[in-house]
């Protein structure tokens, strides 16, 4: 009995809340009519005032919703922007690195060209042919000798006991050579002995190195005539014969900076500052006879290349 009463009560409620069919038809017709009027009316549609009111009412809700959702919808765009930014930064860093390398290379090329041009001037001043070469290595300090390796050997006409110069002056002499490499003993080596001549008096002596490569590198000159007192600032040139090695004559070596006298030993010697910077050697020339066969173009005695 109770179950039947409950079932009737729910059915009653359902009947009260059920929309009459006539009402549904009327609402449907009204909706279709509004849609037709809105479409045909364009900007002057009779529905436009209603739409404007609805927009005013719901605009704050849309703004809040958009602000709430925006961080989530923007996440993919943010990641895409970050990736694009990283790519752009990487591209700019690569371009900057390339520009720095280009500038450094340009400076190096300009320096090499200047040294090579200086070598042609030196060849013309000495009136001798030269094999141009590049310094490609320094001997280890543990070897107790000051040597460098050049990229020219016997195939280029380089032989042991030949003079090596650069645009500034005397560098050293060739110790040994292979087909495409040669070892040069620098004049600053303690075992190196070079005949030197004081430019003003033409007095001669012997130059020995102290083993230092940098700006403090010096040579000592012992004069044969101990009665002579060299003057500070005098230029010292190499002393040699026309054809014999290991040093040709007339190559600038350095300048007198100090003169010491030992009363007890009755000797004098001068300190020479070399013209060559031995810690920054690059382009050098090996003095060879003019008719030397070579696998590279020689710097001729007149300064030409051929």
């Amino acid at each position: 009995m109770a179950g039947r009463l409950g079932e009737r009560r729910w059915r009653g409620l359902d009947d009260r809340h059920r929309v009459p069919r006539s009402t549904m038809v009327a609402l449907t017709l009204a909706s279709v009519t509004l849609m037709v009027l809105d479409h045909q009316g364009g900007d002057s549609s009779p529905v436009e005032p209603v739409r404007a009111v609805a927009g005013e009412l719901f605009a704050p809700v849309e703004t809040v919703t958009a602000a709430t959702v925006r961080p989530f919808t923007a996440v993919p765009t943010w990641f895409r922007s970050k990736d694009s930014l990283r790519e752009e930064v990487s591209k700019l860093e690569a371009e900057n690195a390339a520009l720095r390398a280009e500038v450094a290379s340009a400076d190096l090329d300009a320096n090499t060209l200047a040294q090579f041009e200086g070598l042609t001037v030196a060849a013309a001043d000495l009136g001798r042919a030269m094999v141009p070469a590049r310094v490609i290595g320094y001997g280890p300090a543990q070897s107790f000798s000051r040597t460098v390796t050049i990229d020219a050997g016997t195939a280029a006409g380089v032989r042991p006991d030949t003079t090596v110069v650069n645009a500034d002056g005397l560098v050293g002499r060739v110790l040994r050579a292979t087909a495409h490499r040669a070892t040069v003993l620098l004049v600053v080596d303690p075992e190196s002995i070079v005949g030197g001549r004081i430019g003003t008096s033409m007095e001669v002596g012997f130059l020995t190195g102290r083993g230092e490569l940098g700006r403090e590198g010096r040579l000592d000159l012992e004069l044969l005539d101990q009665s002579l007192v060299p003057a500070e600032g005098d230029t010292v040139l190499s002393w040699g014969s026309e054809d014999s090695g290991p040093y040709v004559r007339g190559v600038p070596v350095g300048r007198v900076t100090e003169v010491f006298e030992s009363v007890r030993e009755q000797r004098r010697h001068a300190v020479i500052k070399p013209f060559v910077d031995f810690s920054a050697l690059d382009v050098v020339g090996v003095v060879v006879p003019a008719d030397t066969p070579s696998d590279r173009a020689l710097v001729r005695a007149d300064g030409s290349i051929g």
Side-chain angles (χ1 to χ4, degrees), residues 1-14 16:
M1 186 71 176
R4 292 180 179 178
L5 289 175
E7 183 179 354
R8 290 175 181 175
R9 185 179 297 116
W10 284 112
R11 287 180 179 176
L13 290 173
D14 185 58
R16 288 195 301 270

mmCIF file of all heavy atoms in Angstrom, residues 1-14 16:
data_model
loop_
_atom_site.group_PDB
_atom_site.id
_atom_site.type_symbol
_atom_site.label_atom_id
_atom_site.label_comp_id
_atom_site.label_asym_id
_atom_site.label_seq_id
_atom_site.Cartn_x
_atom_site.Cartn_y
_atom_site.Cartn_z
ATOM 1 N N MET A 1 0.831 -1.209 0.000
ATOM 2 C CA MET A 1 0.000 0.000 0.000
ATOM 3 C C MET A 1 0.854 1.244 0.000
ATOM 4 O O MET A 1 0.657 2.178 -0.763
ATOM 5 C CB MET A 1 -0.928 -0.022 1.235
ATOM 6 C CG MET A 1 -1.933 1.118 1.252
ATOM 7 S SD MET A 1 -3.181 0.847 -0.046
ATOM 8 C CE MET A 1 -4.252 2.230 0.293
ATOM 9 N N ALA A 2 1.872 1.256 0.884
ATOM 10 C CA ALA A 2 2.798 2.399 0.967
ATOM 11 C C ALA A 2 3.561 2.541 -0.321
ATOM 12 O O ALA A 2 3.821 3.636 -0.809
ATOM 13 C CB ALA A 2 3.760 2.209 2.150
ATOM 14 N N GLY A 3 3.949 1.436 -0.920
ATOM 15 C CA GLY A 3 4.703 1.490 -2.183
ATOM 16 C C GLY A 3 3.892 2.112 -3.285
ATOM 17 O O GLY A 3 4.382 2.877 -4.108
ATOM 18 N N ARG A 4 2.593 1.790 -3.354
ATOM 19 C CA ARG A 4 1.742 2.363 -4.391
ATOM 20 C C ARG A 4 1.559 3.848 -4.189
ATOM 21 O O ARG A 4 1.553 4.628 -5.132
ATOM 22 C CB ARG A 4 0.382 1.672 -4.376
ATOM 23 C CG ARG A 4 0.475 0.222 -4.833
ATOM 24 C CD ARG A 4 -0.905 -0.414 -4.790
ATOM 25 N NE ARG A 4 -0.813 -1.794 -5.244
ATOM 26 C CZ ARG A 4 -1.865 -2.626 -5.277
ATOM 27 N NH1 ARG A 4 -3.089 -2.165 -4.881
ATOM 28 N NH2 ARG A 4 -1.723 -3.855 -5.708
ATOM 29 N N LEU A 5 1.419 4.275 -2.925
ATOM 30 C CA LEU A 5 1.274 5.712 -2.651
ATOM 31 C C LEU A 5 2.518 6.471 -3.070
ATOM 32 O O LEU A 5 2.455 7.548 -3.654
ATOM 33 C CB LEU A 5 0.995 5.932 -1.150
ATOM 34 C CG LEU A 5 -0.385 5.486 -0.672
ATOM 35 C CD1 LEU A 5 -0.459 5.650 0.852
ATOM 36 C CD2 LEU A 5 -1.495 6.323 -1.332
ATOM 37 N N GLY A 6 3.705 5.877 -2.773
ATOM 38 C CA GLY A 6 4.957 6.545 -3.163
ATOM 39 C C GLY A 6 5.070 6.646 -4.657
ATOM 40 O O GLY A 6 5.485 7.658 -5.219
ATOM 41 N N GLU A 7 4.700 5.589 -5.350
ATOM 42 C CA GLU A 7 4.798 5.596 -6.812
ATOM 43 C C GLU A 7 3.882 6.648 -7.387
ATOM 44 O O GLU A 7 4.246 7.365 -8.316
ATOM 45 C CB GLU A 7 4.427 4.203 -7.334
ATOM 46 C CG GLU A 7 4.579 4.100 -8.851
ATOM 47 C CD GLU A 7 4.235 2.697 -9.322
ATOM 48 O OE1 GLU A 7 4.003 1.815 -8.441
ATOM 49 O OE2 GLU A 7 4.204 2.492 -10.538
ATOM 50 N N ARG A 8 2.634 6.802 -6.821
ATOM 51 C CA ARG A 8 1.724 7.833 -7.309
ATOM 52 C C ARG A 8 2.277 9.228 -7.038
ATOM 53 O O ARG A 8 2.124 10.145 -7.838
ATOM 54 C CB ARG A 8 0.360 7.662 -6.614
ATOM 55 C CG ARG A 8 -0.379 6.407 -7.075
ATOM 56 C CD ARG A 8 -1.655 6.245 -6.273
ATOM 57 N NE ARG A 8 -2.354 5.032 -6.688
ATOM 58 C CZ ARG A 8 -3.469 4.579 -6.075
ATOM 59 N NH1 ARG A 8 -3.987 5.252 -5.026
ATOM 60 N NH2 ARG A 8 -4.054 3.480 -6.500
ATOM 61 N N ARG A 9 2.956 9.394 -5.842
ATOM 62 C CA ARG A 9 3.496 10.716 -5.499
ATOM 63 C C ARG A 9 4.560 11.115 -6.517
ATOM 64 O O ARG A 9 4.614 12.241 -6.987
ATOM 65 C CB ARG A 9 4.078 10.685 -4.086
ATOM 66 C CG ARG A 9 4.529 12.071 -3.639
ATOM 67 C CD ARG A 9 5.089 12.028 -2.217
ATOM 68 N NE ARG A 9 4.048 11.632 -1.277
ATOM 69 C CZ ARG A 9 4.079 10.527 -0.557
ATOM 70 N NH1 ARG A 9 5.079 9.665 -0.696
ATOM 71 N NH2 ARG A 9 3.114 10.245 0.288
ATOM 72 N N TRP A 10 5.479 10.207 -6.884
ATOM 73 C CA TRP A 10 6.556 10.512 -7.875
ATOM 74 C C TRP A 10 5.970 10.783 -9.253
ATOM 75 O O TRP A 10 6.428 11.669 -9.964
ATOM 76 C CB TRP A 10 7.540 9.346 -7.962
ATOM 77 C CG TRP A 10 8.479 9.323 -6.771
ATOM 78 C CD1 TRP A 10 8.531 8.410 -5.798
ATOM 79 C CD2 TRP A 10 9.467 10.295 -6.499
ATOM 80 N NE1 TRP A 10 9.484 8.712 -4.894
ATOM 81 C CE2 TRP A 10 10.100 9.893 -5.307
ATOM 82 C CE3 TRP A 10 9.886 11.474 -7.125
ATOM 83 C CZ2 TRP A 10 11.130 10.608 -4.745
ATOM 84 C CZ3 TRP A 10 10.917 12.177 -6.546
ATOM 85 C CH2 TRP A 10 11.542 11.758 -5.383
ATOM 86 N N ARG A 11 4.931 10.024 -9.593
ATOM 87 C CA ARG A 11 4.299 10.282 -10.876
ATOM 88 C C ARG A 11 3.638 11.646 -10.899
ATOM 89 O O ARG A 11 3.656 12.356 -11.897
ATOM 90 C CB ARG A 11 3.236 9.205 -11.166
ATOM 91 C CG ARG A 11 3.856 7.860 -11.519
ATOM 92 C CD ARG A 11 2.762 6.855 -11.801
ATOM 93 N NE ARG A 11 3.326 5.573 -12.157
ATOM 94 C CZ ARG A 11 2.595 4.474 -12.390
ATOM 95 N NH1 ARG A 11 1.238 4.547 -12.301
ATOM 96 N NH2 ARG A 11 3.181 3.347 -12.728
ATOM 97 N N GLY A 12 3.050 12.058 -9.759
ATOM 98 C CA GLY A 12 2.436 13.371 -9.670
ATOM 99 C C GLY A 12 3.449 14.472 -9.846
ATOM 100 O O GLY A 12 3.231 15.460 -10.533
ATOM 101 N N LEU A 13 4.582 14.300 -9.166
ATOM 102 C CA LEU A 13 5.645 15.299 -9.306
ATOM 103 C C LEU A 13 6.135 15.376 -10.737
ATOM 104 O O LEU A 13 6.383 16.446 -11.287
ATOM 105 C CB LEU A 13 6.810 14.959 -8.368
ATOM 106 C CG LEU A 13 6.532 15.151 -6.886
ATOM 107 C CD1 LEU A 13 7.716 14.617 -6.073
ATOM 108 C CD2 LEU A 13 6.277 16.621 -6.549
ATOM 109 N N ASP A 14 6.286 14.228 -11.370
ATOM 110 C CA ASP A 14 6.767 14.182 -12.756
ATOM 111 C C ASP A 14 5.781 14.860 -13.684
ATOM 112 O O ASP A 14 6.162 15.566 -14.607
ATOM 113 C CB ASP A 14 6.972 12.734 -13.159
ATOM 114 C CG ASP A 14 7.592 12.630 -14.547
ATOM 115 O OD1 ASP A 14 8.699 13.187 -14.724
ATOM 116 O OD2 ASP A 14 6.981 12.009 -15.416
ATOM 117 N N ARG A 16 3.699 17.283 -12.817
ATOM 118 C CA ARG A 16 3.707 18.734 -12.572
ATOM 119 C C ARG A 16 4.882 19.410 -13.239
ATOM 120 O O ARG A 16 4.794 20.556 -13.650
ATOM 121 C CB ARG A 16 3.708 19.008 -11.050
ATOM 122 C CG ARG A 16 2.379 18.696 -10.385
ATOM 123 C CD ARG A 16 2.326 19.328 -8.996
ATOM 124 N NE ARG A 16 3.397 18.841 -8.141
ATOM 125 C CZ ARG A 16 3.263 17.761 -7.372
ATOM 126 N NH1 ARG A 16 2.133 17.048 -7.373
ATOM 127 N NH2 ARG A 16 4.263 17.385 -6.609
#
